[in-house]
Amino acid sequence: MMSARILKALKTAALGQASQCRPSVEEGKDCAYLAIVILVAITPVRIAHAQVAEPAGYKMDGFRSQVPDGLAGAKTVTTRQAWQLWKAGGIPFIDVMPQAPKPKNLAEGAFWREKTRNNIPGSYWLANVGYGRLHPDVENWFKNRLALLTSGNKDKPVLFYCLMDCWMSWNAAKRALDYGYSNVLWYPDGSDGWRFEGYPLKASYPEIYAN
Amino acid sequence: MLKKLSGLLAGAALLLSSGTIADVRAESTWSAIKPAIFQERVIHQSTGIIKLDAPYRTIDDRTIPITVDALVPDGRTIRSITLLADDNPMPVIAVLRLANAETRFKLGLNIRLDGTSPIRAVVETSDGALYMTEKLVKTSGQGACASPPVTDLDKVSDTIGQMAFSDVDVDAATSGQTLINRRGRLKITHPNLTGLQMNQITMQHIPARYVDTLTVWNGEQQLFTIESGITLSENPEIEFDYRLNGSANLTVVATDTEGTKFKSVLPVGPSS
């Protein structure tokens, strides 16, 4: 009996006819079930959209946590928009996933395996430029790489990403703004959002500045 | 509403399938690293020879207890045990070489993992055959290879290389039995720096410095040597079997990648 009512409520909701659920004595329970069903269904979405304030400076720690909806001065792009930009081509996609360089002083003959990551094909993976602070040498390298990728024109668009709920891309995009780039795109859902939509990914090796 | 529901269902499907994706990737990692470590040698899947214990999901990725229990029941003995973590940048955790002809050996280590990875134990028997067993260990996402050391690096020289040894089998010790077969735990104070850790002040990577060889003697009798890499945790702990042979002390000699040699003479026996 109960499950039949829930099914009916679900069906009503699925058909987009929630407004037909009237608070009569007989159907009051259905409305309550429907409310619960809707609440359960949208709760994760609501959590994902809870507001996180933009910090004044760079994010210094806790990089794997929820990010703000945007970055002041930059354009935030969705997976759909990123996909269209990628298909159209011409905008450098910069992956800023961190990865340490191979240590110099390992034991002789030690077997080392450089890690790959599945990122958006054609990306420039500039590792370690999304930390809260950069070593001056890493910062110079990042500036030089950006200049090369934009042919020295700071009005050319550049897109930054890493993973979903990762501040590294936010920091890197903010850095580009601070360097004077005027057309900065931030793709917060990154390779996770890309994968979620079934878009192609490719195993890649990073560019790592080792000082 | 319908769109949100379908998005949710797709999300659930992705979550459910992610385990399979990780497994496929892990398999490809192993096929890539196997030739570098074991060349073209045949590795048999071990059914009864090796028992590998590791948590299904870690609590702290920086120090994960793993134990391998190798038993060769058919007259052959154990020559070496290699422990591997496929998806760590330095996949060989440790290679243990036994100095004596043992048919059974149990080795425990605490390790760190950069991310979810299969852990493998490969046992080489006295006839040169290789047997392997593996277990997937899921991490809690701390990226332990790069996580800052707990040791105060300005004070490393005060304590580096200090060792402690005690018997693990508390029941045997407290029951007052004089057991010949013992199981001991060796603790070494060493930051075991991976080279992947960032100095938070200078924003440069801290140079690697880790214990790379370890030899243990029971009196005059050598028990084993271990070659190890950065996967051993900071302040490594090693559990191993030994047998009372009348000696009062174990001698341990370790070296690290700086070339520093650490030697300790540690008492064995019921009171240790």
Side-chain angles (χ1 to χ4, degrees):
Chain A
M1 183 65 186
M2 283 296 178
S3 59
R5 279 168 188 267
I6 294 169
L7 275 174
K8 188 187 167 195
L10 263 174
K11 195 178 166 192
T12 312
L15 291 171
Q17 293 166 338
S19 60
Q20 290 182 0
C21 179
R22 296 179 208 287
S24 67
V25 177
E26 181 57 31
E27 291 186 322
K29 282 180 183 168
D30 289 346
C31 287
Y33 289 132
L34 179 59
I36 290 165
V37 166
I38 290 173
L39 194 65
V40 168
I42 67 172
T43 294
V45 178
R46 279 189 177 279
I47 289 167
H49 281 138
Q51 288 288 319
V52 170
E54 285 190 52
Y58 294 104
K59 174 81 169 167
M60 302 307 288
D61 51 21
F63 299 113
R64 288 313 311 276
S65 60
Q66 199 188 328
V67 292
D69 283 343
L71 167 63
K75 184 177 180 240
T76 304
V77 299
T78 62
T79 295
R80 189 77 208 159
Q81 289 166 328
W83 166 247
Q84 278 155 357
L85 293 170
W86 181 79
K87 271 199 304 184
I91 298 178
F93 276 45
I94 300 172
D95 181 2
V96 299
M97 187 75 178
Q99 185 152 314
K102 178 182 173 181
K104 286 171 184 155
N105 45 348
L106 298 177
E108 207 182 314
F111 175 54
W112 185 264
R113 195 178 59 86
E114 185 79 7
K115 284 184 129 183
T116 60
R117 141 174 163 80
N118 292 326
N119 66 7
I120 299 171
S123 295
Y124 300 90
W125 180 3
L126 310 183
N128 309 323
V129 298
Y131 283 102
R133 289 189 306 119
L134 302 186
H135 186 275
D137 294 347
V138 175
E139 180 129 52
N140 280 334
W141 169 73
F142 182 37
K143 283 179 180 170
N144 290 336
R145 291 298 286 119
L146 280 181
L148 266 172
L149 293 173
T150 53
S151 313
N153 180 353
K154 288 189 173 176
D155 293 327
K156 280 198 175 173
V158 276
L159 181 147
F160 294 93
Y161 76 95
C162 53
L163 303 173
M164 196 176 277
D165 292 329
C166 180
W167 283 81
M168 291 265 178
S169 58
W170 192 90
N171 275 349
K174 185 177 176 62
R175 245 175 215 124
L177 291 170
D178 289 350
Y179 299 161
Y181 286 85
S182 62
N183 202 347
V184 174
L185 305 167
W186 178 45
Y187 172 32
D189 286 352
S191 54
D192 291 327
W194 193 267
R195 175 183 287 118
F196 189 85
E197 293 298 334
Y199 298 143
L201 291 163
K202 189 170 179 285
S204 308
Y205 289 99
E207 292 179 45
I208 308 177
Y209 182 85
N211 45 12
Chain B
M1 181 64 214
L2 199 61
K3 206 176 170 188
K4 276 176 181 167
L5 265 174
S6 69
L8 216 76
L9 288 172
L14 192 80
L15 281 174
L16 288 171
S17 64
S18 62
T20 326
I21 290 166
D23 291 347
V24 169
R25 185 196 50 147
E27 193 53 46
S28 66
T29 303
W30 173 239
S31 56
I33 64 179
K34 191 258 173 190
I37 300 162
F38 295 103
Q39 294 77 42
E40 299 308 311
R41 295 175 72 180
V42 174
I43 302 181
H44 306 283
Q45 275 298 320
S46 156
T47 42
I49 288 177
I50 315 165
K51 189 169 165 274
L52 179 63
D53 250 352
Y56 171 71
R57 190 178 289 281
T58 63
I59 296 165
D60 184 346
D61 297 349
R62 296 170 303 178
T63 176
I64 306 161
I66 62 166
T67 306
V68 55
D69 187 356
L71 172 66
V72 186
D74 55 10
R76 292 179 293 171
T77 56
I78 301 161
R79 186 181 285 173
S80 71
I81 301 174
T82 303
L83 287 161
L84 303 121
D86 290 13
D87 289 301
N88 261 15
M90 194 190 261
V92 179
I93 301 169
V95 181
L96 170 127
R97 291 190 177 85
L98 289 173
N100 307 297
E102 306 280 357
T103 55
R104 181 169 196 176
F105 199 82
K106 203 170 168 184
L107 173 72
L109 298 171
N110 60 340
I111 65 164
R112 54 190 151 198
L113 288 178
D114 210 29
T116 294
S117 173
I119 301 295
R120 293 170 199 277
V122 179
V123 169
E124 183 185 31
T125 49
S126 47
D127 59 345
L130 298 173
Y131 298 88
M132 177 171 79
T133 193
E134 68 267 341
K135 190 174 176 193
L136 185 71
V137 175
K138 297 193 175 186
T139 50
S140 16
Q142 292 143 344
C145 294
S147 80
V150 178
T151 311
D152 180 349
L153 295 181
D154 292 334
K155 293 177 181 164
V156 161
S157 56
D158 297 351
T159 57
I160 194 165
Q162 288 180 4
M163 298 187 208
F165 180 76
S166 60
D167 277 348
V168 176
D169 197 336
V170 178
D171 287 344
T174 52
S175 68
Q177 291 177 54
T178 314
L179 293 173
I180 298 295
N181 294 311
R182 298 298 177 112
R183 182 161 175 72
R185 181 189 288 129
L186 176 68
K187 294 185 181 183
I188 306 168
T189 304
H190 196 290
N192 244 26
L193 300 166
T194 61
L196 307 174
Q197 296 149 317
M198 188 80 91
N199 178 320
Q200 300 297 317
I201 309 295
T202 66
M203 295 308 288
Q204 281 180 296
H205 290 96
I206 304 163
R209 182 184 186 179
Y210 58 90
V211 174
D212 61 344
T213 73
L214 181 98
T215 308
V216 177
W217 287 266
N218 185 2
E220 300 295 311
Q221 182 189 29
Q222 186 181 319
L223 299 183
F224 57 81
T225 63
I226 292 178
E227 285 169 34
S228 51
I230 59 172
T231 302
L232 277 200
S233 299
E234 183 173 356
N235 301 323
E237 292 183 22
I238 299 158
E239 283 186 23
F240 55 89
D241 294 343
Y242 72 103
R243 203 171 289 120
L244 290 186
N245 65 359
S247 311
N249 298 303
L250 283 190
T251 302
V252 182
V253 174
T255 63
D256 72 12
T257 48
E258 294 277 284
T260 313
K261 186 171 162 181
F262 310 101
K263 182 177 175 181
S264 276
V265 178
L266 304 152
V268 297
S271 60
S272 67

